[in-house]
């Protein structure tokens, strides 16, 4: 057995001007499903929870780990993270691409990003 | 409306000698449900996915954000994180306590921990 190959975990916080996207979990699910298919990942479970007249929380579990999003339309903010393991293949480029796609989706500005190897 | 109050996100990686706890998602769910009740949090959705003859992935969404766990019994490793917002009250002490409880549950050693304010 090869040694454990730490994955890349990208963690972001940003402002977003798009109140529709900050409020509509079903739109975000379309994006996630497209990204999962495009990158050949495997979804094993998901939670999308919409708060009353507010934002939503999503967590999508993958065989390759997970991504999560919390939106705050009342503050014009979103926090999100993407963590893909490198168990069967190196997913670093995919992790970065998915993170960027989510940031682009929310038209993120004033973004702060943390990179962890774990 | 008050300004956005960033929450505390604690992110850990550790070794664990307990192959049963690294393998059994249902045992971990008991812990999480106890912690959620004890700390007066509100669960809004969850994913527990067990891999064939391997570890499990869990993501539990709360009105206060989420926690996630990925276990690797074949490597004796676990990665986990707890993120609680401070929207309606300051949850920093709860975040720390839940993180410590999960580490203790897995008998974590050689732990690396990252603290993010987001």
């Amino acid at each position: 057995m090869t040694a454990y190959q730490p994955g890349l975990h990208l963690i972001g916080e940003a402002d977003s001007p798009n109140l529709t996207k900050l409020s509509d979990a079903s739109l975000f699910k379309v994006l996630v499903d497209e990204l999962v298919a495009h990158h050949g990942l495997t979804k094993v479970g998901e939670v999308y929870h919409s708060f009353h007249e507010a934002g939503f929380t999503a967590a999508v579990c993958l065989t390759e780990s997970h991504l999560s999003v919390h939106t705050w339309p009342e503050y014009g903010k979103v926090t999100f993270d993407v963590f893909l393991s490198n168990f069967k293949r190196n997913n670093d480029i995919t992790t970065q691409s998915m993170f960027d796609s989510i940031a682009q989706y929310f038209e993120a500005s004033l973004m702060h990003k943390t990179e962890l190897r774990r």
Side-chain angles (χ1 to χ4, degrees), chain A:
Chain A
M1 189 173 73
T2 56
Y4 178 74
Q5 303 293 325
L8 179 63
H9 195 165
L10 298 177
I11 302 165
E13 306 90 55
D15 285 358
S16 168
N18 193 317
L19 293 184
T20 299
K21 290 184 175 176
L22 288 173
S23 303
D24 192 335
S26 62
L27 282 181
F28 183 69
K29 183 178 185 306
V30 172
L31 173 74
V32 171
D33 289 347
E34 284 174 356
L35 291 175
V36 167
H38 174 72
H39 291 291
L41 304 173
T42 304
K43 190 165 65 175
V44 296
E46 62 194 358
V47 176
Y48 288 90
H49 178 79
S50 296
F51 295 94
H52 181 62
E53 293 182 357
F56 65 89
T57 279
V60 179
C61 289
L62 308 163
T63 57
E64 301 81 6
S65 294
H66 76 273
L67 64 88
S68 79
V69 172
H70 306 287
T71 68
W72 302 87
E74 61 271 50
Y75 297 110
K77 288 188 183 296
V78 57
T79 62
F80 58 105
D81 65 321
V82 181
F83 177 31
L84 301 183
S85 71
N86 289 329
F87 179 51
K88 292 192 174 170
R89 66 180 189 203
N90 187 300
N91 284 307
D92 286 358
I93 292 172
T94 301
T95 309
Q96 185 67 65
S97 176
M98 289 184 69
F99 184 91
D100 291 346
S101 295
I102 294 170
Q104 188 174 24
Y105 173 82
F106 285 110
E107 303 163 37
S109 62
L110 292 175
M111 193 162 80
H112 181 261
K113 179 179 172 186
T114 302
E115 298 195 16
L116 297 180
R117 179 63 62 185
R118 57 196 295 254

